[in-house]
Amino acid sequence: QVQLVESGGGLVQAGGSLRLSCAASGRAFSNTFSSYTMAWFRQAPGKEREFVARIAWSSSYADSVKGRFTISRDNVKRTVDLLMNSLKPEDTAVYYCAAKYVTTNEYPYWGQGTQVTVSS
């Protein structure tokens, strides 16, 4: 079995911070977690799902969150975190954790999503 489980979502005021966590489990990640690119995506109501951040050996961010969000991973614990600072109402969305092998293009593994709501 392969599973990604997010946690840490909730309600926060604009300008505040929130940390999301994603725990990976299953055969594919048992001893090769470091060979997987981990990423965060988000989807706001009425909008398409969009890329937020990813990390393999280095990190990459969408322009909309660059300088505010930080993605990190722990290959021993097999977890990926997204620290969100200076949150804005437009950051409100369901946030999803995703994983793919580093040499592939598509993300076959997805979490259930966690709601982040930023109030003004």
Side-chain angles (χ1 to χ4, degrees):
Q1 65 183 52
V2 175
Q3 187 169 236
L4 300 175
V5 180
E6 302 100 332
S7 63
L11 175 65
V12 64
Q13 293 185 1
S17 299
L18 203 62
R19 182 185 291 273
L20 305 182
S21 294
C22 174
S25 63
R27 184 70 175 178
F29 304 128
S30 61
N31 65 344
T32 56
F33 182 71
S34 62
S35 296
Y36 285 81
T37 296
M38 304 300 297
W40 289 93
F41 292 79
R42 67 187 183 186
Q43 186 169 26
K47 301 292 183 63
E48 297 293 324
R49 183 173 296 180
E50 66 174 341
F51 164 79
V52 176
R54 65 171 173 264
I55 181 169
W57 296 282
S58 60
S59 304
S60 182
Y61 301 89
D63 288 340
S64 61
V65 307
K66 194 172 298 181
R68 299 188 298 123
F69 291 10
T70 302
I71 188 171
S72 61
R73 66 190 295 164
D74 186 328
N75 289 336
V76 175
K77 296 181 179 180
R78 297 185 298 172
T79 59
V80 179
D81 286 5
L82 183 68
L83 175 60
M84 303 180 292
N85 293 321
S86 301
L87 283 162
K88 305 173 181 179
E90 50 263 46
D91 293 319
T92 295
V94 176
Y95 283 70
Y96 297 89
C97 177
K100 72 175 185 69
Y101 197 70
V102 293
T103 59
T104 61
N105 295 323
E106 302 296 325
Y107 287 85
Y109 309 117
W110 293 82
Q112 81 286 355
T114 185
Q115 177 70 47
V116 172
T117 302
V118 184
S119 64
S120 59

